mmCIF file with all atom_site columns, all heavy atoms in Angstrom:
data_model
loop_
_atom_site.group_PDB
_atom_site.id
_atom_site.type_symbol
_atom_site.label_atom_id
_atom_site.label_alt_id
_atom_site.label_comp_id
_atom_site.label_asym_id
_atom_site.label_entity_id
_atom_site.label_seq_id
_atom_site.pdbx_PDB_ins_code
_atom_site.Cartn_x
_atom_site.Cartn_y
_atom_site.Cartn_z
_atom_site.occupancy
_atom_site.B_iso_or_equiv
_atom_site.pdbx_formal_charge
_atom_site.auth_seq_id
_atom_site.auth_comp_id
_atom_site.auth_asym_id
_atom_site.auth_atom_id
_atom_site.pdbx_PDB_model_num
ATOM 1   N N   . THR E 1 5   ? 13.103 -0.728  -56.161 1.00 0.00 ? 33  THR E N   1
ATOM 2   C CA  . THR E 1 5   ? 12.120 -1.796  -56.347 1.00 0.00 ? 33  THR E CA  1
ATOM 3   C C   . THR E 1 5   ? 12.785 -3.152  -56.206 1.00 0.00 ? 33  THR E C   1
ATOM 4   O O   . THR E 1 5   ? 12.214 -4.053  -55.550 1.00 0.00 ? 33  THR E O   1
ATOM 5   C CB  . THR E 1 5   ? 11.477 -1.691  -57.766 1.00 0.00 ? 33  THR E CB  1
ATOM 6   O OG1 . THR E 1 5   ? 10.950 -0.378  -57.906 1.00 0.00 ? 33  THR E OG1 1
ATOM 7   C CG2 . THR E 1 5   ? 10.383 -2.693  -57.922 1.00 0.00 ? 33  THR E CG2 1
ATOM 8   N N   . ARG E 1 15  ? 11.849 -11.771 -46.002 1.00 0.00 ? 43  ARG E N   1
ATOM 9   C CA  . ARG E 1 15  ? 10.785 -11.798 -44.963 1.00 0.00 ? 43  ARG E CA  1
ATOM 10  C C   . ARG E 1 15  ? 9.851  -12.968 -45.149 1.00 0.00 ? 43  ARG E C   1
ATOM 11  O O   . ARG E 1 15  ? 9.447  -13.611 -44.188 1.00 0.00 ? 43  ARG E O   1
ATOM 12  C CB  . ARG E 1 15  ? 10.005 -10.479 -45.012 1.00 0.00 ? 43  ARG E CB  1
ATOM 13  C CG  . ARG E 1 15  ? 9.030  -10.356 -43.863 1.00 0.00 ? 43  ARG E CG  1
ATOM 14  C CD  . ARG E 1 15  ? 7.844  -9.440  -44.157 1.00 0.00 ? 43  ARG E CD  1
ATOM 15  N NE  . ARG E 1 15  ? 7.056  -9.874  -45.262 1.00 0.00 ? 43  ARG E NE  1
ATOM 16  C CZ  . ARG E 1 15  ? 6.135  -10.864 -45.217 1.00 0.00 ? 43  ARG E CZ  1
ATOM 17  N NH1 . ARG E 1 15  ? 5.954  -11.562 -44.117 1.00 0.00 ? 43  ARG E NH1 1
ATOM 18  N NH2 . ARG E 1 15  ? 5.441  -11.172 -46.262 1.00 0.00 ? 43  ARG E NH2 1
ATOM 19  N N   . MET E 1 20  ? 7.432  -17.996 -43.391 1.00 0.00 ? 48  MET E N   1
ATOM 20  C CA  . MET E 1 20  ? 7.107  -19.382 -43.761 1.00 0.00 ? 48  MET E CA  1
ATOM 21  C C   . MET E 1 20  ? 7.674  -20.364 -42.732 1.00 0.00 ? 48  MET E C   1
ATOM 22  O O   . MET E 1 20  ? 6.983  -21.319 -42.344 1.00 0.00 ? 48  MET E O   1
ATOM 23  C CB  . MET E 1 20  ? 7.704  -19.706 -45.147 1.00 0.00 ? 48  MET E CB  1
ATOM 24  C CG  . MET E 1 20  ? 7.441  -21.139 -45.622 1.00 0.00 ? 48  MET E CG  1
ATOM 25  S SD  . MET E 1 20  ? 8.051  -21.510 -47.224 1.00 0.00 ? 48  MET E SD  1
ATOM 26  C CE  . MET E 1 20  ? 9.814  -21.375 -46.983 1.00 0.00 ? 48  MET E CE  1
ATOM 27  N N   . ALA E 1 30  ? 1.595  -28.596 -34.124 1.00 0.00 ? 58  ALA E N   1
ATOM 28  C CA  . ALA E 1 30  ? 0.210  -29.077 -34.092 1.00 0.00 ? 58  ALA E CA  1
ATOM 29  C C   . ALA E 1 30  ? 0.124  -30.555 -34.472 1.00 0.00 ? 58  ALA E C   1
ATOM 30  O O   . ALA E 1 30  ? -0.652 -31.319 -33.844 1.00 0.00 ? 58  ALA E O   1
ATOM 31  C CB  . ALA E 1 30  ? -0.627 -28.245 -35.062 1.00 0.00 ? 58  ALA E CB  1
ATOM 32  N N   . GLY E 1 38  ? -3.447 -38.678 -30.042 1.00 0.00 ? 66  GLY E N   1
ATOM 33  C CA  . GLY E 1 38  ? -3.934 -39.890 -30.665 1.00 0.00 ? 66  GLY E CA  1
ATOM 34  C C   . GLY E 1 38  ? -3.390 -41.128 -29.970 1.00 0.00 ? 66  GLY E C   1
ATOM 35  O O   . GLY E 1 38  ? -4.130 -42.124 -29.812 1.00 0.00 ? 66  GLY E O   1
ATOM 36  N N   . VAL E 1 39  ? -2.148 -41.091 -29.576 1.00 0.00 ? 67  VAL E N   1
ATOM 37  C CA  . VAL E 1 39  ? -1.563 -42.218 -28.866 1.00 0.00 ? 67  VAL E CA  1
ATOM 38  C C   . VAL E 1 39  ? -2.297 -42.446 -27.548 1.00 0.00 ? 67  VAL E C   1
ATOM 39  O O   . VAL E 1 39  ? -2.569 -43.578 -27.132 1.00 0.00 ? 67  VAL E O   1
ATOM 40  C CB  . VAL E 1 39  ? -0.055 -42.002 -28.626 1.00 0.00 ? 67  VAL E CB  1
ATOM 41  C CG1 . VAL E 1 39  ? 0.508  -42.962 -27.591 1.00 0.00 ? 67  VAL E CG1 1
ATOM 42  C CG2 . VAL E 1 39  ? 0.685  -42.133 -29.959 1.00 0.00 ? 67  VAL E CG2 1
ATOM 43  N N   . TRP E 1 47  ? 1.095  -47.757 -32.554 1.00 0.00 ? 75  TRP E N   1
ATOM 44  C CA  . TRP E 1 47  ? 2.207  -48.033 -33.445 1.00 0.00 ? 75  TRP E CA  1
ATOM 45  C C   . TRP E 1 47  ? 1.991  -47.317 -34.784 1.00 0.00 ? 75  TRP E C   1
ATOM 46  O O   . TRP E 1 47  ? 2.906  -46.661 -35.320 1.00 0.00 ? 75  TRP E O   1
ATOM 47  C CB  . TRP E 1 47  ? 2.382  -49.513 -33.671 1.00 0.00 ? 75  TRP E CB  1
ATOM 48  C CG  . TRP E 1 47  ? 3.527  -49.829 -34.626 1.00 0.00 ? 75  TRP E CG  1
ATOM 49  C CD1 . TRP E 1 47  ? 4.840  -49.852 -34.334 1.00 0.00 ? 75  TRP E CD1 1
ATOM 50  C CD2 . TRP E 1 47  ? 3.403  -50.073 -36.037 1.00 0.00 ? 75  TRP E CD2 1
ATOM 51  N NE1 . TRP E 1 47  ? 5.577  -50.153 -35.464 1.00 0.00 ? 75  TRP E NE1 1
ATOM 52  C CE2 . TRP E 1 47  ? 4.726  -50.286 -36.519 1.00 0.00 ? 75  TRP E CE2 1
ATOM 53  C CE3 . TRP E 1 47  ? 2.345  -50.167 -36.927 1.00 0.00 ? 75  TRP E CE3 1
ATOM 54  C CZ2 . TRP E 1 47  ? 4.963  -50.566 -37.842 1.00 0.00 ? 75  TRP E CZ2 1
ATOM 55  C CZ3 . TRP E 1 47  ? 2.599  -50.425 -38.252 1.00 0.00 ? 75  TRP E CZ3 1
ATOM 56  C CH2 . TRP E 1 47  ? 3.918  -50.638 -38.709 1.00 0.00 ? 75  TRP E CH2 1
ATOM 57  N N   . ARG E 1 66  ? 15.250 -27.001 -46.211 1.00 0.00 ? 94  ARG E N   1
ATOM 58  C CA  . ARG E 1 66  ? 15.130 -26.267 -47.470 1.00 0.00 ? 94  ARG E CA  1
ATOM 59  C C   . ARG E 1 66  ? 14.722 -24.830 -47.276 1.00 0.00 ? 94  ARG E C   1
ATOM 60  O O   . ARG E 1 66  ? 15.225 -23.936 -47.942 1.00 0.00 ? 94  ARG E O   1
ATOM 61  C CB  . ARG E 1 66  ? 14.128 -26.992 -48.398 1.00 0.00 ? 94  ARG E CB  1
ATOM 62  C CG  . ARG E 1 66  ? 14.581 -28.319 -48.893 1.00 0.00 ? 94  ARG E CG  1
ATOM 63  C CD  . ARG E 1 66  ? 15.743 -28.173 -49.818 1.00 0.00 ? 94  ARG E CD  1
ATOM 64  N NE  . ARG E 1 66  ? 16.115 -29.444 -50.380 1.00 0.00 ? 94  ARG E NE  1
ATOM 65  C CZ  . ARG E 1 66  ? 17.248 -29.711 -50.955 1.00 0.00 ? 94  ARG E CZ  1
ATOM 66  N NH1 . ARG E 1 66  ? 18.149 -28.754 -51.071 1.00 0.00 ? 94  ARG E NH1 1
ATOM 67  N NH2 . ARG E 1 66  ? 17.504 -30.908 -51.434 1.00 0.00 ? 94  ARG E NH2 1
ATOM 68  N N   . ARG E 1 85  ? 27.663 -7.783  -37.951 1.00 0.00 ? 113 ARG E N   1
ATOM 69  C CA  . ARG E 1 85  ? 27.605 -7.504  -36.550 1.00 0.00 ? 113 ARG E CA  1
ATOM 70  C C   . ARG E 1 85  ? 28.168 -8.686  -35.785 1.00 0.00 ? 113 ARG E C   1
ATOM 71  O O   . ARG E 1 85  ? 27.876 -9.816  -36.090 1.00 0.00 ? 113 ARG E O   1
ATOM 72  C CB  . ARG E 1 85  ? 26.166 -7.208  -36.093 1.00 0.00 ? 113 ARG E CB  1
ATOM 73  C CG  . ARG E 1 85  ? 25.243 -8.353  -36.317 1.00 0.00 ? 113 ARG E CG  1
ATOM 74  C CD  . ARG E 1 85  ? 23.823 -8.035  -35.832 1.00 0.00 ? 113 ARG E CD  1
ATOM 75  N NE  . ARG E 1 85  ? 22.906 -9.081  -36.221 1.00 0.00 ? 113 ARG E NE  1
ATOM 76  C CZ  . ARG E 1 85  ? 22.747 -10.227 -35.620 1.00 0.00 ? 113 ARG E CZ  1
ATOM 77  N NH1 . ARG E 1 85  ? 23.506 -10.534 -34.591 1.00 0.00 ? 113 ARG E NH1 1
ATOM 78  N NH2 . ARG E 1 85  ? 21.869 -11.128 -36.047 1.00 0.00 ? 113 ARG E NH2 1
ATOM 79  N N   . PHE E 1 88  ? 28.016 -13.333 -30.169 1.00 0.00 ? 116 PHE E N   1
ATOM 80  C CA  . PHE E 1 88  ? 28.672 -14.351 -29.336 1.00 0.00 ? 116 PHE E CA  1
ATOM 81  C C   . PHE E 1 88  ? 28.039 -15.678 -29.660 1.00 0.00 ? 116 PHE E C   1
ATOM 82  O O   . PHE E 1 88  ? 26.831 -15.841 -29.585 1.00 0.00 ? 116 PHE E O   1
ATOM 83  C CB  . PHE E 1 88  ? 28.473 -13.975 -27.867 1.00 0.00 ? 116 PHE E CB  1
ATOM 84  C CG  . PHE E 1 88  ? 29.183 -14.906 -26.917 1.00 0.00 ? 116 PHE E CG  1
ATOM 85  C CD1 . PHE E 1 88  ? 30.580 -14.973 -26.901 1.00 0.00 ? 116 PHE E CD1 1
ATOM 86  C CD2 . PHE E 1 88  ? 28.466 -15.706 -26.073 1.00 0.00 ? 116 PHE E CD2 1
ATOM 87  C CE1 . PHE E 1 88  ? 31.218 -15.825 -26.028 1.00 0.00 ? 116 PHE E CE1 1
ATOM 88  C CE2 . PHE E 1 88  ? 29.105 -16.582 -25.194 1.00 0.00 ? 116 PHE E CE2 1
ATOM 89  C CZ  . PHE E 1 88  ? 30.487 -16.613 -25.168 1.00 0.00 ? 116 PHE E CZ  1
ATOM 90  N N   . TRP E 1 89  ? 28.823 -16.610 -30.068 1.00 0.00 ? 117 TRP E N   1
ATOM 91  C CA  . TRP E 1 89  ? 28.376 -17.972 -30.440 1.00 0.00 ? 117 TRP E CA  1
ATOM 92  C C   . TRP E 1 89  ? 27.301 -17.892 -31.554 1.00 0.00 ? 117 TRP E C   1
ATOM 93  O O   . TRP E 1 89  ? 26.132 -18.208 -31.287 1.00 0.00 ? 117 TRP E O   1
ATOM 94  C CB  . TRP E 1 89  ? 27.861 -18.760 -29.252 1.00 0.00 ? 117 TRP E CB  1
ATOM 95  C CG  . TRP E 1 89  ? 28.894 -19.152 -28.297 1.00 0.00 ? 117 TRP E CG  1
ATOM 96  C CD1 . TRP E 1 89  ? 30.233 -19.143 -28.442 1.00 0.00 ? 117 TRP E CD1 1
ATOM 97  C CD2 . TRP E 1 89  ? 28.648 -19.661 -26.955 1.00 0.00 ? 117 TRP E CD2 1
ATOM 98  N NE1 . TRP E 1 89  ? 30.864 -19.586 -27.319 1.00 0.00 ? 117 TRP E NE1 1
ATOM 99  C CE2 . TRP E 1 89  ? 29.905 -19.935 -26.403 1.00 0.00 ? 117 TRP E CE2 1
ATOM 100 C CE3 . TRP E 1 89  ? 27.503 -19.896 -26.220 1.00 0.00 ? 117 TRP E CE3 1
ATOM 101 C CZ2 . TRP E 1 89  ? 30.053 -20.431 -25.111 1.00 0.00 ? 117 TRP E CZ2 1
ATOM 102 C CZ3 . TRP E 1 89  ? 27.650 -20.430 -24.966 1.00 0.00 ? 117 TRP E CZ3 1
ATOM 103 C CH2 . TRP E 1 89  ? 28.916 -20.676 -24.410 1.00 0.00 ? 117 TRP E CH2 1
ATOM 104 N N   . TRP E 1 91  ? 26.560 -19.705 -33.902 1.00 0.00 ? 119 TRP E N   1
ATOM 105 C CA  . TRP E 1 91  ? 25.949 -20.994 -34.296 1.00 0.00 ? 119 TRP E CA  1
ATOM 106 C C   . TRP E 1 91  ? 24.832 -21.365 -33.371 1.00 0.00 ? 119 TRP E C   1
ATOM 107 O O   . TRP E 1 91  ? 24.144 -22.357 -33.648 1.00 0.00 ? 119 TRP E O   1
ATOM 108 C CB  . TRP E 1 91  ? 27.033 -22.075 -34.376 1.00 0.00 ? 119 TRP E CB  1
ATOM 109 C CG  . TRP E 1 91  ? 28.026 -22.016 -33.248 1.00 0.00 ? 119 TRP E CG  1
ATOM 110 C CD1 . TRP E 1 91  ? 29.204 -21.323 -33.259 1.00 0.00 ? 119 TRP E CD1 1
ATOM 111 C CD2 . TRP E 1 91  ? 27.913 -22.604 -31.999 1.00 0.00 ? 119 TRP E CD2 1
ATOM 112 N NE1 . TRP E 1 91  ? 29.805 -21.476 -32.031 1.00 0.00 ? 119 TRP E NE1 1
ATOM 113 C CE2 . TRP E 1 91  ? 29.041 -22.278 -31.226 1.00 0.00 ? 119 TRP E CE2 1
ATOM 114 C CE3 . TRP E 1 91  ? 26.946 -23.443 -31.398 1.00 0.00 ? 119 TRP E CE3 1
ATOM 115 C CZ2 . TRP E 1 91  ? 29.243 -22.714 -29.927 1.00 0.00 ? 119 TRP E CZ2 1
ATOM 116 C CZ3 . TRP E 1 91  ? 27.162 -23.878 -30.080 1.00 0.00 ? 119 TRP E CZ3 1
ATOM 117 C CH2 . TRP E 1 91  ? 28.318 -23.498 -29.388 1.00 0.00 ? 119 TRP E CH2 1
ATOM 118 N N   . ASN E 1 93  ? 21.450 -20.450 -32.745 1.00 0.00 ? 121 ASN E N   1
ATOM 119 C CA  . ASN E 1 93  ? 20.428 -19.614 -33.357 1.00 0.00 ? 121 ASN E CA  1
ATOM 120 C C   . ASN E 1 93  ? 19.139 -20.423 -33.544 1.00 0.00 ? 121 ASN E C   1
ATOM 121 O O   . ASN E 1 93  ? 19.107 -21.611 -33.245 1.00 0.00 ? 121 ASN E O   1
ATOM 122 C CB  . ASN E 1 93  ? 20.932 -19.033 -34.669 1.00 0.00 ? 121 ASN E CB  1
ATOM 123 C CG  . ASN E 1 93  ? 21.390 -20.107 -35.639 1.00 0.00 ? 121 ASN E CG  1
ATOM 124 O OD1 . ASN E 1 93  ? 20.686 -21.080 -35.830 1.00 0.00 ? 121 ASN E OD1 1
ATOM 125 N ND2 . ASN E 1 93  ? 22.545 -19.910 -36.212 1.00 0.00 ? 121 ASN E ND2 1
ATOM 126 N N   . TYR E 1 106 ? 12.029 -36.847 -33.944 1.00 0.00 ? 134 TYR E N   1
ATOM 127 C CA  . TYR E 1 106 ? 12.231 -38.056 -34.738 1.00 0.00 ? 134 TYR E CA  1
ATOM 128 C C   . TYR E 1 106 ? 12.723 -39.204 -33.857 1.00 0.00 ? 134 TYR E C   1
ATOM 129 O O   . TYR E 1 106 ? 12.279 -40.305 -33.924 1.00 0.00 ? 134 TYR E O   1
ATOM 130 C CB  . TYR E 1 106 ? 13.248 -37.752 -35.847 1.00 0.00 ? 134 TYR E CB  1
ATOM 131 C CG  . TYR E 1 106 ? 13.296 -38.798 -36.917 1.00 0.00 ? 134 TYR E CG  1
ATOM 132 C CD1 . TYR E 1 106 ? 12.453 -38.731 -38.038 1.00 0.00 ? 134 TYR E CD1 1
ATOM 133 C CD2 . TYR E 1 106 ? 14.183 -39.884 -36.820 1.00 0.00 ? 134 TYR E CD2 1
ATOM 134 C CE1 . TYR E 1 106 ? 12.503 -39.717 -38.989 1.00 0.00 ? 134 TYR E CE1 1
ATOM 135 C CE2 . TYR E 1 106 ? 14.215 -40.842 -37.796 1.00 0.00 ? 134 TYR E CE2 1
ATOM 136 C CZ  . TYR E 1 106 ? 13.375 -40.764 -38.883 1.00 0.00 ? 134 TYR E CZ  1
ATOM 137 O OH  . TYR E 1 106 ? 13.433 -41.763 -39.866 1.00 0.00 ? 134 TYR E OH  1
ATOM 138 N N   . ILE E 1 108 ? 12.363 -39.564 -30.613 1.00 0.00 ? 136 ILE E N   1
ATOM 139 C CA  . ILE E 1 108 ? 11.312 -39.996 -29.705 1.00 0.00 ? 136 ILE E CA  1
ATOM 140 C C   . ILE E 1 108 ? 10.336 -40.923 -30.389 1.00 0.00 ? 136 ILE E C   1
ATOM 141 O O   . ILE E 1 108 ? 9.969  -41.983 -29.853 1.00 0.00 ? 136 ILE E O   1
ATOM 142 C CB  . ILE E 1 108 ? 10.593 -38.788 -29.062 1.00 0.00 ? 136 ILE E CB  1
ATOM 143 C CG1 . ILE E 1 108 ? 11.551 -38.081 -28.076 1.00 0.00 ? 136 ILE E CG1 1
ATOM 144 C CG2 . ILE E 1 108 ? 9.295  -39.180 -28.381 1.00 0.00 ? 136 ILE E CG2 1
ATOM 145 C CD1 . ILE E 1 108 ? 11.068 -36.752 -27.601 1.00 0.00 ? 136 ILE E CD1 1
ATOM 146 N N   . VAL E 1 129 ? 16.523 -43.918 -42.511 1.00 0.00 ? 157 VAL E N   1
ATOM 147 C CA  . VAL E 1 129 ? 15.978 -42.631 -42.960 1.00 0.00 ? 157 VAL E CA  1
ATOM 148 C C   . VAL E 1 129 ? 16.518 -41.523 -42.057 1.00 0.00 ? 157 VAL E C   1
ATOM 149 O O   . VAL E 1 129 ? 16.922 -40.426 -42.578 1.00 0.00 ? 157 VAL E O   1
ATOM 150 C CB  . VAL E 1 129 ? 14.453 -42.643 -43.011 1.00 0.00 ? 157 VAL E CB  1
ATOM 151 C CG1 . VAL E 1 129 ? 13.892 -41.257 -43.248 1.00 0.00 ? 157 VAL E CG1 1
ATOM 152 C CG2 . VAL E 1 129 ? 13.953 -43.600 -44.072 1.00 0.00 ? 157 VAL E CG2 1
ATOM 153 N N   . ILE E 1 131 ? 19.325 -41.372 -40.324 1.00 0.00 ? 159 ILE E N   1
ATOM 154 C CA  . ILE E 1 131 ? 20.732 -41.129 -40.633 1.00 0.00 ? 159 ILE E CA  1
ATOM 155 C C   . ILE E 1 131 ? 20.863 -40.345 -41.938 1.00 0.00 ? 159 ILE E C   1
ATOM 156 O O   . ILE E 1 131 ? 21.670 -39.418 -42.026 1.00 0.00 ? 159 ILE E O   1
ATOM 157 C CB  . ILE E 1 131 ? 21.524 -42.476 -40.701 1.00 0.00 ? 159 ILE E CB  1
ATOM 158 C CG1 . ILE E 1 131 ? 21.627 -43.062 -39.312 1.00 0.00 ? 159 ILE E CG1 1
ATOM 159 C CG2 . ILE E 1 131 ? 22.894 -42.266 -41.299 1.00 0.00 ? 159 ILE E CG2 1
ATOM 160 C CD1 . ILE E 1 131 ? 22.157 -44.494 -39.237 1.00 0.00 ? 159 ILE E CD1 1
ATOM 161 N N   . VAL E 1 138 ? 23.408 -31.896 -42.151 1.00 0.00 ? 166 VAL E N   1
ATOM 162 C CA  . VAL E 1 138 ? 24.765 -31.483 -41.831 1.00 0.00 ? 166 VAL E CA  1
ATOM 163 C C   . VAL E 1 138 ? 25.514 -31.045 -43.090 1.00 0.00 ? 166 VAL E C   1
ATOM 164 O O   . VAL E 1 138 ? 26.181 -29.989 -43.079 1.00 0.00 ? 166 VAL E O   1
ATOM 165 C CB  . VAL E 1 138 ? 25.550 -32.643 -41.113 1.00 0.00 ? 166 VAL E CB  1
ATOM 166 C CG1 . VAL E 1 138 ? 27.013 -32.334 -41.035 1.00 0.00 ? 166 VAL E CG1 1
ATOM 167 C CG2 . VAL E 1 138 ? 24.963 -32.855 -39.743 1.00 0.00 ? 166 VAL E CG2 1
ATOM 168 N N   . VAL E 1 139 ? 25.367 -31.773 -44.179 1.00 0.00 ? 167 VAL E N   1
ATOM 169 C CA  . VAL E 1 139 ? 26.053 -31.379 -45.425 1.00 0.00 ? 167 VAL E CA  1
ATOM 170 C C   . VAL E 1 139 ? 25.542 -30.043 -45.931 1.00 0.00 ? 167 VAL E C   1
ATOM 171 O O   . VAL E 1 139 ? 26.325 -29.150 -46.279 1.00 0.00 ? 167 VAL E O   1
ATOM 172 C CB  . VAL E 1 139 ? 25.900 -32.483 -46.505 1.00 0.00 ? 167 VAL E CB  1
ATOM 173 C CG1 . VAL E 1 139 ? 26.328 -31.981 -47.860 1.00 0.00 ? 167 VAL E CG1 1
ATOM 174 C CG2 . VAL E 1 139 ? 26.714 -33.725 -46.115 1.00 0.00 ? 167 VAL E CG2 1
ATOM 175 N N   . PHE E 1 147 ? 27.766 -18.321 -43.405 1.00 0.00 ? 175 PHE E N   1
ATOM 176 C CA  . PHE E 1 147 ? 26.583 -17.676 -42.803 1.00 0.00 ? 175 PHE E CA  1
ATOM 177 C C   . PHE E 1 147 ? 26.506 -17.929 -41.317 1.00 0.00 ? 175 PHE E C   1
ATOM 178 O O   . PHE E 1 147 ? 26.275 -17.027 -40.521 1.00 0.00 ? 175 PHE E O   1
ATOM 179 C CB  . PHE E 1 147 ? 25.309 -18.175 -43.515 1.00 0.00 ? 175 PHE E CB  1
ATOM 180 C CG  . PHE E 1 147 ? 24.045 -17.659 -42.908 1.00 0.00 ? 175 PHE E CG  1
ATOM 181 C CD1 . PHE E 1 147 ? 23.621 -16.383 -43.240 1.00 0.00 ? 175 PHE E CD1 1
ATOM 182 C CD2 . PHE E 1 147 ? 23.295 -18.394 -42.012 1.00 0.00 ? 175 PHE E CD2 1
ATOM 183 C CE1 . PHE E 1 147 ? 22.476 -15.861 -42.658 1.00 0.00 ? 175 PHE E CE1 1
ATOM 184 C CE2 . PHE E 1 147 ? 22.142 -17.897 -41.444 1.00 0.00 ? 175 PHE E CE2 1
ATOM 185 C CZ  . PHE E 1 147 ? 21.725 -16.615 -41.759 1.00 0.00 ? 175 PHE E CZ  1
ATOM 186 N N   . LEU E 1 152 ? 30.030 -13.420 -43.737 1.00 0.00 ? 180 LEU E N   1
ATOM 187 C CA  . LEU E 1 152 ? 29.494 -13.101 -45.052 1.00 0.00 ? 180 LEU E CA  1
ATOM 188 C C   . LEU E 1 152 ? 30.170 -11.908 -45.644 1.00 0.00 ? 180 LEU E C   1
ATOM 189 O O   . LEU E 1 152 ? 30.549 -10.977 -45.050 1.00 0.00 ? 180 LEU E O   1
ATOM 190 C CB  . LEU E 1 152 ? 27.988 -12.788 -44.943 1.00 0.00 ? 180 LEU E CB  1
ATOM 191 C CG  . LEU E 1 152 ? 27.130 -13.988 -44.621 1.00 0.00 ? 180 LEU E CG  1
ATOM 192 C CD1 . LEU E 1 152 ? 25.691 -13.561 -44.420 1.00 0.00 ? 180 LEU E CD1 1
ATOM 193 C CD2 . LEU E 1 152 ? 27.190 -14.962 -45.773 1.00 0.00 ? 180 LEU E CD2 1
#
Side-chain angles (χ1 to χ4, degrees):
T33 305
R43 188 204 61 78
M48 180 178 66
V67 166
W75 178 82
R94 292 292 185 197
R113 60 179 172 79
F116 183 66
W117 291 345
W119 42 269
N121 56 47
Y134 193 90
I136 289 168
V157 170
I159 290 170
V166 168
V167 167
F175 176 80
L180 289 175

